[in-house]
Amino acid sequence: MGRDISVLPGGGMRMLKNALSIARKEFADAVTSKRLWLIAGIFLLFSIASTYSTSFGFRIGARQTTRPMVQIASSIASATAYMAPLLGIALAFDAISGERERGTLRILLSRPIYREDVINGKIMSALAVTGLTITISSLAAVSVSILLHNISVTVDDVSRIGLFILFSVVFSFAYYALSLFVSTFSSKSSHSLVISVGIWIFFAFILSIMSSFIATAILGPPPTRALTLFNMSRRQFGNFTTPGGATPQELEEYLNYVRKVSEISGTIQAFSINYHYTQITSSLFSFVAGPLGFGRGEITIASIPTILSTRLIDIIILIVFPIVFLVASYMVFTRRQEK
Amino acid sequence: MGGGENMSLAVETEKLVKVYGNGKTMVKALDGIDMKVPKASVFGLFGPNGSGKTTLISILVGLLLPTSGSAKVLGFDVTRESVEIRRRVGLLPEGFGFYDHMTALENLVFLATLDGVPSSQREKRALEALEAVGLKDRADAKVSTFSRGMKQRLGVAQSLLKDPELLIFDEPTVGIDPEGAAEFRNLVRKMNRDGKTILLSTHLLYEVGMICTHAAIIREGRLLVQGSVDELYRSVREAKGFRYEIRVKPGSDMPLQEIRSIPSVIEIAQSDNRVTVLSKNDIGSILFSLVTKNPYKDIVESLTPVEPSWEEIYRFYQEGG
């Protein structure tokens, strides 16, 4: 069937105007919705609580570091890794299916607008809402640490926090795009919510557990004596760097095993967008904990350009993921015929 | 570009076909619809549930694409110029809804924005539309507080925002009380007097007879008949006979010999003070001249042609016309 030819010169501007009108309404709806305030509130509390405990640790001397703000920001990242996807899902799961259920989609589509205008307006609004929520929550949490515990901030810290906010918005938006896609073909918002949350649970929890199981299934059980010694040393000394009676060969054998498990597990988890986001934020805040806690306490802060180049693949995946789902959403929504 | 060949028609479809699904799940919702809606008419699209009315309306405003065939609305092609159509057509879709958390006025102002109404006129236009449907005093009330009938009226109001040339109402009186339905019919008559073309779909037969100037009957995706209401009446009368009712003064005895002697009279029935005459041909003028002279003129109170009911019309065309 032929495409509507009403996109005359100036049609692009008209489309943008329509999308902006929808975006304005969506934004107003979002900022006055209880759902958003609840998620933003939990997000904020989560972030402030984790930064407070970290910065309090510095204050009382339980934690020591040369870059306290980097450590504090890493605790915000832990909270964001869970909350950002929920924010994206909360904004998107009923974006289209809700309009369909309420019958407002029929009213919207009976106006002289394109279907793309509806979806563009919703995306614009979602970007603004996720951007604001994550920025405000992160900055509020950082401010609490600065004000209550006199943590100093360097220009490099600010840059890292800025990048972290940017990647977190993209991460949240990735879940928005995924949930929007589900919403475009769902006739019920409850179905859309269940599917979206199910995918999040799979990526955030199940895949990492599954990956360990699969790695163990492929490699077989760990070397028995090495594992026993490892556990003993952990109980005795609190970490693995003191081998607790293991011979260098046994230690090497065990380390090889752990490395392979980590490689297989990492490969499987690479299917999860959460994994790539965590890789980026971990690098930004030097929050790289080795397998089973290796390297805990070691803080090696790579420069921002180095991080961006070493994590380029993760960054690309983080950006491509929402694009793929947005394109899919466009395709489903614009081709679906609403009676 | 629109403009259209036949400027006297608001809607014109040709061999319009719509098929849903494919293979075993294939359903032919429209099967070669040729429909013509004259401008400035109130056109009733009558058919039972599932007959294809909503599918046809959805195609007319570009919400659905036809499988084959063509359709023009106000001279614009439905597949290539649907935005231009929606710019000129006010639609009250079936099963529509509003943003419950917003007021009636906020809803209408938002929709007026999408209709392309200039910002300086949006509120004024929204208030005028609310006034037209009798909801102006509820402009600042949230839609969540509205009854179903009020929502239906608000639905009509949103279709008026762009001051459309053509209004399409899909099952507009479903779920509203008789008083609300009567108000709606009055509103339709008023809009029609103002020169607007109105296409309304309904599965309520009496509604067609009450407000429509033209009608079409659709069944299983096919148009059984279409034309002006007078034409439809005449067709049925010509096939089934012309019926007249003569009312006589109570207690009077009506002599029937002269009426019986009219060659085309098929049947005469008398009950109380009413005589019903069924004739093969139109004998209205003969009967009139008869009852205005003696001995009838002193006992006859009225002579009226009886139009076939819409149930009769529907049954007639359903059985093949």
Side-chain angles (χ1 to χ4, degrees), chain B residues 2-304:
Chain B
E5 295 80 38
N6 195 339
M7 298 304 286
S8 63
L9 293 178
V11 176
E12 190 175 12
T13 72
E14 206 181 321
K15 296 185 181 67
L16 205 60
V17 172
K18 178 67 188 178
V19 175
Y20 292 114
N22 47 39
K24 283 182 183 173
T25 61
M26 194 179 90
V27 177
K28 208 168 199 177
L30 297 181
D31 190 3
I33 297 278
D34 292 313
M35 188 174 80
K36 290 177 172 59
V37 178
K39 279 189 177 169
S41 65
V42 179
F43 191 98
L45 181 62
F46 169 77
N49 291 330
S51 57
K53 301 184 298 290
T54 299
T55 298
L56 178 56
I57 286 174
S58 301
I59 288 174
L60 294 181
V61 291
L63 297 181
L64 284 178
L65 292 173
T67 308
S68 66
S70 65
K72 285 194 170 186
V73 176
L74 301 170
F76 294 96
D77 188 281
V78 294
T79 57
R80 290 180 296 114
E81 298 165 304
S82 67
V83 171
E84 290 307 319
I85 291 171
R86 292 197 293 272
R87 212 181 296 289
R88 292 161 175 82
V89 174
L91 173 70
L92 176 68
E94 192 189 10
F96 67 91
F98 283 100
Y99 299 104
D100 282 355
H101 62 284
M102 288 160 68
T103 67
L105 185 63
E106 285 167 349
N107 266 288
L108 294 194
V109 168
F110 169 60
L111 295 173
T113 310
L114 299 179
D115 280 339
V117 176
S119 56
S120 58
Q121 291 177 34
R122 280 173 207 152
E123 195 167 324
K124 182 175 162 275
R125 199 74 76 80
L127 287 169
E128 282 169 0
L130 285 170
E131 190 167 21
V133 298
L135 283 176
K136 198 177 177 184
D137 57 331
R138 299 298 305 265
D140 296 320
K142 289 204 168 158
V143 175
S144 56
T145 65
F146 279 25
S147 67
R148 191 163 176 180
M150 288 162 80
K151 283 183 185 171
Q152 198 74 12
R153 279 194 275 163
L154 189 58
V156 177
Q158 64 79 30
S159 70
L160 298 172
L161 287 169
K162 58 190 121 177
D163 191 21
E165 293 170 49
L166 168 66
L167 284 141
I168 301 181
F169 299 134
D170 193 2
E171 299 281 6
T173 54
V174 166
I176 60 173
D177 55 35
E179 203 176 306
E183 277 175 26
F184 171 77
R185 286 192 289 272
N186 286 335
L187 185 63
V188 168
R189 285 186 198 107
K190 185 186 171 297
M191 289 187 293
N192 185 236
R193 277 198 301 273
D194 293 343
K196 297 198 187 302
T197 310
I198 292 140
L199 166 61
L200 64 94
S201 85
T202 182
H203 68 277
L204 305 172
L205 276 166
Y206 66 89
E207 215 157 58
V208 179
M210 284 171 114
I211 46 173
C212 296
T213 59
H214 293 71
I217 298 175
I218 185 171
R219 188 164 178 267
E220 291 172 358
R222 291 182 186 184
L223 273 197
L224 301 180
V225 66
Q226 66 179 314
S228 74
V229 167
D230 288 342
E231 281 166 2
L232 297 185
Y233 281 144
R234 194 176 306 127
S235 315
V236 176
R237 280 196 305 244
E238 278 167 5
K240 297 240 170 187
F242 290 74
R243 201 179 292 269
Y244 303 90
E245 189 182 273
I246 302 167
R247 280 186 176 271
V248 296
K249 285 177 183 162
S252 308
D253 193 20
M254 173 83 174
L256 300 172
Q257 293 88 338
E258 271 194 80
I259 298 174
R260 276 207 185 98
S261 66
I262 301 170
S264 64
V265 170
I266 306 165
E267 185 186 302
I268 298 176
Q270 192 170 19
S271 65
D272 300 332
N273 54 340
R274 200 165 47 183
V275 177
T276 310
V277 180
L278 181 66
S279 161
K280 252 192 283 180
N281 301 322
D282 184 358
I283 55 164
S285 53
I286 301 171
L287 281 179
F288 182 76
S289 60
L290 196 69
V291 298
T292 49
K293 68 181 187 188
N294 281 326
Y296 299 102
K297 77 171 186 184
D298 294 330
I299 54 171
V300 171
E301 278 186 335
S302 65
L303 164 69
T304 42

Side-chain angles (χ1 to χ4, degrees), chain A residues 140-192:
Chain A
V142 168
S143 306
V144 166
S145 299
I146 294 170
L147 294 174
L148 294 183
H149 301 125
N150 296 323
I151 304 287
S152 58
V153 186
T154 65
V155 175
D156 185 66
D157 290 340
V158 173
S159 309
R160 280 167 202 270
I161 290 168
L163 276 175
F164 159 72
I165 289 172
L166 180 70
F167 289 126
S168 299
V169 171
V170 177
F171 178 51
S172 182
F173 193 65
Y175 270 93
Y176 175 86
L178 176 100
S179 192
L180 181 71
F181 172 64
V182 177
S183 179
T184 53
F185 63 74
S186 299
S187 49
K188 286 189 174 175
S189 298
S190 53
H191 293 172
S192 172

